[in-house]
Every structure is written in C-alpha cells, then in structure tokens.
Amino acid sequence: SALTAMVSYYIHGGYFPRGGAQNFADTLRRFIEDHGGKVMLRCKVDEILVEDGRVRGVRAGEKVFKASIVVANANAKTTFLELVGEKFLDKEFIEYIKGLKMSPSCFAVFLGLDVDLRDYPSIIVNLDDGYYLVINSNADPSLAPEGKASITILTEANYYDFPERGTREYIKLKRMLAEKLIEKAEKIIQGLIKHIVVMDIATPKTYERYTSMPEGAIYSFDQSIHTKRPYFKTPIKGLYLASASTFPGGGIEAVTISGVICANDI
C-alpha cells in the first residue's frame, strides 16, 4: 500500500533504479510492448476530446485516437486548462485547479569527470552554500567508465528568474549560474574544474520543455499538507489522472503508486 511505501522510505531510505531513471522508463516501455501495447514517441497530445460530459479520445496533431477511457499523466493544470478546455468543466472546479500552487523547481549541473571519486560519499549536502552534490557513479558504477565519475550539482531555483529558452540572456545566465555552482563544489572536490570532460545544464525552463510541467516544477504541486491534490477520477467520465498531480504526490515511487491505483480502478 501507499502507506507502507512511504514508511519504508523513512526507515530504509531512498533508492533509485540501476542504470538511472531512463532505465526505469525503458523497462516500462518493454513491458507495454511485450503485452501487445504500443508506445509512441514524439507524439504530443494537443487535445482531449470530450462529448456530452464523456471522454471520446485524444488528438495529436492530425491524428485522432478514439477511446472511452483516457489516463492523463500530464500535470492537472495542463490536462484541464489546455487539453480539455474550460467550457467542459464547471467554474468552481476550474478556479480550484487554477489556484493550485506548484512545487519549487531546481537548477542542475551534470558533469562527467576524468577522475575517480570513490573516496567521497554518494550524496553531499552543503546547507551553508545551499546545494546538493550527488556522485551518481558511486551509487551506480555503470553510470561512468572506470576511473571516471558522473556527478550532479543541484540547487533550488525560481522559474520566473529565467528569460525565455534560447535567448542570449538565458544562455548567459545559465552559464554564469553553472560556473558559480561549480566554484562552490570546488571547495569539496579540489581541482574539479580541471577534470570536466562533459557538462550539461538544466533550468526550470528545461524541465518545462521536456516534461510539459508548468513552472518547471519538480514535484508537480506544492508538497505540503495544505495542498488538496485533485482526485484521480475527474469530472469528465472516462478521464482519469495519474502521476504526480494526484495522490500520493511527486517522486518515482509515489507516481508509480498513483498509476497502480488508477489501473486497478479501471
């Protein structure tokens, strides 16, 4: 049950899939395909089709897929305000969805280094400088070649502090923040800058682009006890919610639980 999963997280700590998050997605895809399903990439849904208060399918570009049941794992704001449209929902429900506060986002620098960092712990939290340093390859050696390391440096970030993606201002700010974060991490890993082989940077706008998440929120809605998340059964018959928008919230384990609850009900 969801409660067991949450309690075990506090007792035994957090885990992640061997091979990283991409391996988790690939495993789900293989399972779907092995059971006769089809996974369509680069096929973004533009509209959820509704008629007489019931879901009728989805439209992706020119293609229409008819279905009497649709499970939306997009954020609830995106699902109701953009994909369904306000005309199919009552005013009170729309106001409730609009009023939901998004969770924080973050700024991340991903580095591939030509140095072995096995003597360091996998996770280092620096509260004074306000960042997390994760040595991914210490937790999972498959994430870097032998004698090298893969690390992530994370800090909290506000979506509205960033200009539009691709603009000169955006690229400049992204670079400057990355350099500052690497400088801070240098205090822990001496000579870090000299060992960088590959670097990637992500801002809240990056998360918005790749996950269609409003404000680039990393946990969907605010993860506080005051947040009343939408129920997985929606006011539109046949349309369900799964993922971080609904119970129990954000994180791989939580969204998996939401999917299981939804599938069992269907």
Side-chain angles (χ1 to χ4, degrees):
S1 74
L3 183 64
T4 313
M6 286 175 198
V7 172
S8 76
Y9 188 87
Y10 291 108
I11 296 169
H12 305 294
Y15 286 76
F16 80 101
R18 194 185 294 278
Q22 185 61 50
N23 189 30
F24 187 79
D26 293 342
T27 303
L28 285 176
R29 179 186 180 167
R30 280 196 300 273
F31 187 88
I32 291 164
E33 290 173 345
D34 289 349
H35 289 76
K38 192 174 178 186
V39 175
M40 300 175 74
L41 304 178
R42 298 180 184 273
C43 187
K44 191 165 177 273
V45 168
D46 296 303
E47 186 185 0
I48 292 171
L49 306 170
V50 178
E51 204 181 292
D52 304 326
R54 283 206 73 94
V55 77
R56 297 295 181 196
V58 298
R59 179 179 63 77
E62 300 298 305
K63 292 177 179 169
V64 170
F65 300 91
K66 290 181 178 174
S68 56
I69 287 174
V70 169
V71 178
N73 87 330
N75 180 260
K77 285 195 180 196
T78 308
T79 300
F80 296 117
L81 307 179
E82 294 174 29
L83 301 179
V84 170
E86 297 185 26
K87 65 175 185 278
F88 295 110
L89 298 153
D90 67 48
K91 202 163 169 286
E92 202 180 324
F93 184 78
I94 288 293
E95 288 312 307
Y96 153 63
I97 293 294
K98 282 182 177 173
L100 284 162
K101 196 167 161 253
M102 302 308 293
S103 83
S105 189
C106 75
F107 178 84
V109 178
F110 308 94
L111 302 173
L113 309 172
D114 62 359
V115 64
D116 194 320
L117 298 177
R118 273 182 302 188
D119 293 339
Y120 289 84
S122 298
I123 298 176
I124 299 162
V125 183
N126 188 323
L127 295 175
D128 296 331
D129 281 339
Y131 69 87
Y132 283 72
L133 196 157
V134 185
I135 303 173
N136 311 299
S137 49
N138 281 0
D140 181 357
S142 75
L143 297 177
E146 209 173 320
K148 294 182 170 57
S150 153
I151 76 168
T152 305
I153 318 168
L154 294 159
T155 188
E156 205 171 295
N158 183 336
Y159 174 83
Y160 296 102
D161 290 343
F162 291 84
E164 273 313 293
R165 277 179 80 251
T167 59
R168 195 175 295 164
E169 298 79 26
Y170 175 79
I171 293 161
K172 203 174 150 189
L173 179 64
K174 202 164 113 162
R175 274 272 171 205
M176 187 197 79
L177 291 172
E179 281 164 18
K180 269 188 175 173
L181 208 47
I182 291 165
E183 252 171 60
K184 286 179 178 181
E186 268 259 301
K187 293 178 197 170
I188 292 170
I189 301 169
Q190 313 289 300
L192 171 64
I193 294 169
K194 295 200 291 279
H195 292 288
I196 298 170
V197 178
V198 63
M199 173 166 82
D200 212 348
I201 309 162
T203 77
K205 296 266 163 118
T206 314
Y207 304 125
E208 179 191 48
R209 158 71 181 85
Y210 288 100
T211 67
S212 300
M213 182 65 74
E215 297 178 28
I218 53 175
Y219 296 115
S220 187
F221 298 125
D222 185 36
Q223 296 269 80
S224 82
I225 84 172
H226 306 296
T227 300
K228 185 179 175 285
R229 285 190 193 87
Y231 190 46
F232 75 101
K233 293 180 186 181
T234 77
I236 288 155
K237 287 190 179 74
L239 176 63
Y240 290 81
L241 286 182
S243 204
S245 287
T246 185
F247 174 84
I252 287 187
E253 200 166 13
V255 301
T256 304
I257 291 165
S258 86
V260 171
I261 291 169
C262 184
N264 286 341
D265 191 84
I266 291 168

